[in-house]
Amino acid sequence: MALRDELLKSIWHAFTALDVDKSGKVSKSQLKVQDNFNRQDFNRMCWTLCARKNLNRTHLLISDEDAFKIWCIFNFLSEDKYPLAIVTEEIEYFLRKLTEAMGGSWVEERFEDYKLELCTKQQCLSAWEIITLVGTGTFSKGMDRQTLSMGITEVFHELILDVFKQGYMMKKGHKRKNWTERWFLLKLNSISYYVSEDLAEKKGDILLDGNCCVESLPDKEGKKCLFYVKCSDKSYEISVSDKKRKQEWIQAIQTCISLLKLGRPAPHRESRQKRRVLRQKQQAEQEELELRMKELQTANEDKQQELEAMRKKLEEAAANAAEEERRLLQTQTEQQDRYRVDLEREKMVRQEMEEQVAQKSTELEQYLQRVRELEDMYHRLEDALEEERSARQDEEMVRRLQARLLEEEATKRAELEQIHLHQQRAISETEAEKQELEKEGTAKENALQAAMLQLEQLESERQGALEQYQDVMQKLEDAANNTRTWKHKVAHHEGLVRLIQPGSKGPQKITNWGPAAFTDAELSLRKKDWQERKNRPAQTQ
């Protein structure tokens, strides 16, 4: 039924353009019949017929192709009444979509000024007026033509072609098992893939239904960020460039499958229908209010006529008796007061209805603001989680550096102990070799001093690593506090969010230079080994 209504709108444009004399009739010679029906070709044929007559290309910043896309969007958003027109609410919806697609920011004040200007004239626009509004760059100042054209194309793909998502991804072949980059186009019931984004050469379709499923895959064969789409006949393995795009594609495909299971249309079509139902309800309430006002006005006029007739009767009765006139005048005054009270009561009822309408509008704005705040909170929470992961990586790097420095420190200490033992053996030899041993001792002492300098350098490096470790621990603690704060906020609004915390660690040996890279058992073994080597020269003596 929706397709029929959209086609009727295109036909109305074409027939209106061909009906030159406004008679409501078009000759058969001006019509063409197509055997192979294609919706886009049909729309383009109707566009060609009506654009030739109605489109004014002067001062337009867009091409005819972009104007055709805006014309199709107008047919989608316009009311189901003829002559076709798009109301202020749908104009704002389209301009918001276009601004977001161009990467700009929506200026509410500018559109409010334009809405006031529009309300003083006609409160709606035709297809050619909306093309002129967008094509002259009224709401796209600061944007170049290419950006405007890309924004129009993106909105056209979403609203008219029902494209949920599109982009380049790698697909694994079923026969040769090789990976090939394709341009994918996700619609409600299919995923089409092409050689490139110009959609010139189509390579195949993945048909979706309620029984399909999409799941993430672990990295393999040198490919990362993998997922697969499982259909009734076969499965498709796909790889994307990063985890964010992977999650976006999985969510988009899962949304399509869920909509197919529920038998629901695309979200933008469903939201359009909801907006129309809401407008119809508001229009019915407005018509009912106007009807009541007309009834009150009619009743007031009838009462005024009755008062006029009564006044005439009182004037006629004044000639007969003054007392009767005074009585009738008193009755007339009482009735006027009663009518005035009724009018005031009806006026108060009208004000209460207007206040209820304003209150409903305010509640709707508050709900939309709430949704935007929740989206902003989700984005901030993702940033906090990313900072926490980065802090953990820095902590792990500092730990490895500290372990390496402690290992080098232990090696140098062992070398110093060995040098000290050699000196003890040299001193225990004969007195005749004392001078030679003194020379060798001097050389070894120099080597010992050089080793001590290296040891001091290692200690300074270890101290720097310890300071870096403390900085990283402080960053990690700040990131954890930040994550915990956002976790409480999001849990208050949306539910519980469980954050991944660092695992618990056992007790660690602490030395004079900070945390040690060995256990108590290893320390006792090293002490025992050093004591044996120290006692060896005493036994030889």
Side-chain angles (χ1 to χ4, degrees):
M1 191 65 181
L3 177 60
R4 174 180 174 275
D5 292 338
E6 293 181 15
L7 294 178
L8 285 176
K9 291 179 181 180
S10 300
I11 294 173
W12 178 83
H13 282 291
F15 271 66
T16 304
L18 295 175
D19 186 13
V20 181
D21 54 358
K22 307 298 181 182
S23 62
K25 297 180 181 180
V26 179
S27 62
K28 292 182 179 180
S29 61
Q30 293 178 282
L31 302 177
K32 294 181 179 180
V33 179
Q34 293 180 335
D35 294 332
N36 298 324
F37 177 78
N38 182 277
R39 177 182 170 188
Q40 293 303 318
D41 294 340
F42 179 81
N43 286 335
R44 196 172 294 277
M45 179 189 71
C46 295
W47 158 260
T48 304
L49 293 174
C50 61
R52 189 183 310 163
K53 177 182 177 181
N54 298 295
L55 182 60
N56 183 9
R57 295 174 174 81
T58 308
H59 305 301
L60 288 183
L61 303 176
I62 58 176
S63 62
D64 287 353
E65 181 66 21
D66 293 333
F68 165 71
K69 294 176 181 178
I70 297 175
W71 179 78
C72 293
I73 295 172
F74 168 84
N75 291 339
F76 175 75
L77 297 177
S78 61
E79 301 297 302
D80 295 333
K81 298 178 182 179
Y82 297 93
L84 294 176
I86 182 171
V87 297
T88 307
E89 182 183 1
E90 299 297 336
I91 295 174
E92 181 179 3
Y93 173 78
F94 169 52
L95 293 178
R96 279 181 181 272
K97 281 279 186 184
L98 181 59
T99 304
E100 292 174 0
M102 292 187 298
S105 57
W106 176 252
V107 182
E108 190 72 30
E109 294 79 7
R110 185 188 302 173
F111 184 77
E112 289 297 329
D113 296 339
Y114 177 75
K115 187 190 295 186
L116 293 175
E117 180 183 352
L118 189 62
C119 290
T120 57
K121 297 180 181 179
Q122 53 189 356
Q123 298 184 354
C124 58
L125 295 178
S126 65
W128 317 110
E129 289 172 337
I130 192 68
I131 291 174
T132 303
L133 177 66
V134 177
T136 53
T138 305
F139 287 90
S140 59
K141 293 181 180 180
M143 300 288 182
D144 54 17
R145 296 190 178 187
Q146 184 178 3
T147 303
L148 178 58
S149 176
M150 292 174 64
I152 294 172
T153 302
E154 183 174 338
V155 178
F156 174 79
H157 283 172
E158 178 181 354
L159 299 183
I160 306 303
L161 301 182
D162 295 334
V163 175
F164 283 69
K165 191 170 182 60
Q166 55 185 336
Y168 280 107
M169 293 190 294
M170 301 291 291
K171 174 185 170 296
K172 185 177 182 180
H174 287 89
K175 296 182 178 179
R176 291 187 293 178
K177 304 298 181 181
N178 58 334
W179 291 88
T180 309
E181 187 178 44
R182 301 295 185 201
W183 177 264
F184 284 80
L185 206 66
L186 173 61
K187 295 185 179 181
L188 181 61
N189 55 2
S190 67
I191 306 175
S192 303
Y193 49 96
Y194 302 80
V195 174
S196 61
E197 57 185 301
D198 58 4
L199 310 183
E201 183 179 351
K202 186 175 183 180
K203 302 301 291 184
D205 292 308
I206 302 175
L207 300 180
L208 301 177
D209 54 32
N211 299 321
C212 295
C213 67
V214 55
E215 294 182 4
S216 176
L217 287 177
D219 298 343
K220 63 179 183 178
E221 299 178 5
K223 295 294 180 182
K224 298 182 178 180
C225 303
L226 296 172
F227 67 93
Y228 79 99
V229 181
K230 184 178 181 182
C231 299
S232 57
D233 54 348
K234 61 177 67 174
S235 298
Y236 301 85
E237 294 187 15
I238 299 174
S239 171
V240 294
S241 58
D242 53 60
K243 293 182 179 179
K244 181 180 179 183
R245 291 189 59 198
K246 172 185 175 181
Q247 190 64 28
E248 290 175 353
W249 272 99
I250 291 177
Q251 290 179 352
I253 297 173
Q254 187 61 50
T255 300
C256 293
I257 296 174
S258 300
L259 292 175
L260 290 172
K261 285 182 180 179
L262 299 175
R264 292 171 56 184
H268 63 273
R269 295 186 180 273
E270 188 174 6
S271 63
R272 179 194 64 173
Q273 186 62 29
K274 289 181 181 179
R275 292 196 303 273
R276 287 186 177 179
V277 171
L278 181 60
R279 281 198 301 272
Q280 292 174 0
K281 183 178 179 181
Q282 293 175 349
Q283 185 176 0
E285 292 177 353
Q286 184 68 22
E287 291 176 354
E288 183 181 356
L289 181 61
E290 291 177 355
L291 181 60
R292 290 193 61 183
M293 292 300 297
K294 288 181 180 179
E295 292 175 353
L296 291 174
Q297 186 176 1
T298 303
N300 188 24
E301 291 176 356
D302 294 341
K303 291 178 181 180
Q304 292 293 337
Q305 292 176 1
E306 291 177 3
L307 289 174
E308 185 66 22
M310 191 176 294
R311 188 182 61 80
K312 291 180 180 180
K313 291 179 181 180
L314 289 172
E315 289 178 355
E316 292 175 358
N320 297 326
E323 186 65 28
E324 185 69 19
E325 180 181 5
R326 191 166 48 253
R327 185 180 63 81
L328 292 175
L329 285 173
Q330 184 178 1
T331 305
Q332 182 184 14
T333 304
E334 292 175 355
Q335 289 181 349
Q336 286 180 347
D337 292 338
R338 188 164 55 253
Y339 295 151
R340 190 178 297 108
V341 171
D342 292 340
L343 287 174
E344 291 293 334
R345 187 180 296 110
E346 294 296 337
K347 188 181 295 184
M348 291 178 63
V349 171
R350 178 182 177 184
Q351 291 178 354
E352 289 177 357
M353 294 184 68
E354 291 177 351
E355 290 176 358
Q356 290 178 1
V357 172
Q359 183 179 3
K360 290 180 180 180
S361 301
T362 304
E363 291 175 356
L364 179 60
E365 290 294 333
Q366 291 176 353
Y367 174 75
L368 294 176
Q369 181 66 25
R370 187 69 171 174
V371 171
R372 287 193 289 269
E373 290 177 357
L374 288 174
E375 292 178 352
D376 185 49
M377 285 185 180
Y378 273 120
H379 292 323
R380 294 183 181 180
L381 178 60
E382 290 177 355
D383 295 340
L385 289 173
E386 186 63 30
E387 291 180 0
E388 182 179 0
R389 285 195 294 269
S390 178
R392 286 177 181 169
Q393 292 176 359
D394 294 343
E395 179 191 8
E396 186 64 25
M397 182 179 67
V398 170
R399 285 178 179 173
R400 290 197 297 266
L401 178 60
Q402 185 182 17
R404 182 177 61 81
L405 292 175
L406 289 174
E407 186 66 25
E408 292 179 358
E409 178 183 357
T411 303
K412 291 295 181 179
R413 285 184 177 276
E415 291 177 358
L416 290 174
E417 292 173 358
Q418 190 65 29
I419 292 173
H420 182 70
L421 291 175
H422 285 305
Q423 287 179 345
Q424 292 292 335
R425 291 194 199 97
I427 292 173
S428 62
E429 292 183 0
T430 60
E431 192 67 25
E433 299 175 352
K434 182 176 181 181
Q435 293 180 355
E436 185 178 352
L437 289 175
E438 286 180 356
K439 293 180 181 179
E440 291 179 359
T442 303
K444 290 180 181 180
E445 187 68 29
N446 293 332
L448 178 62
Q449 292 178 358
M452 290 296 293
L453 290 176
Q454 291 181 359
L455 180 60
E456 291 177 358
Q457 183 178 1
L458 288 174
E459 289 179 354
S460 64
E461 290 179 358
R462 188 205 55 77
Q463 188 66 27
L466 181 60
E467 292 176 357
Q468 291 181 2
Y469 173 76
Q470 293 175 352
D471 293 339
V472 170
M473 290 298 294
Q474 184 64 35
K475 290 181 180 178
L476 181 59
E477 183 178 357
D478 294 340
N481 293 334
N482 190 14
T483 304
R484 195 176 301 110
T485 303
W486 283 111
K487 178 186 72 175
H488 293 323
K489 290 184 179 179
V490 173
H492 177 70
H493 291 284
E494 291 293 326
L496 297 177
V497 177
R498 181 180 179 186
L499 297 179
I500 300 175
Q501 300 291 342
S504 61
K505 298 180 180 179
Q508 192 175 9
K509 184 68 177 179
I510 304 298
T511 67
N512 295 333
W513 298 276
F518 45 83
T519 62
D520 290 336
E522 293 175 344
L523 180 62
S524 61
L525 288 176
R526 291 187 180 186
K527 285 182 178 180
K528 183 177 180 181
D529 182 54
W530 176 78
Q531 191 67 33
E532 291 177 355
R533 285 184 291 180
K534 183 178 179 182
N535 294 334
R536 240 178 249 157
Q539 293 175 0
T540 54
Q541 290 177 1

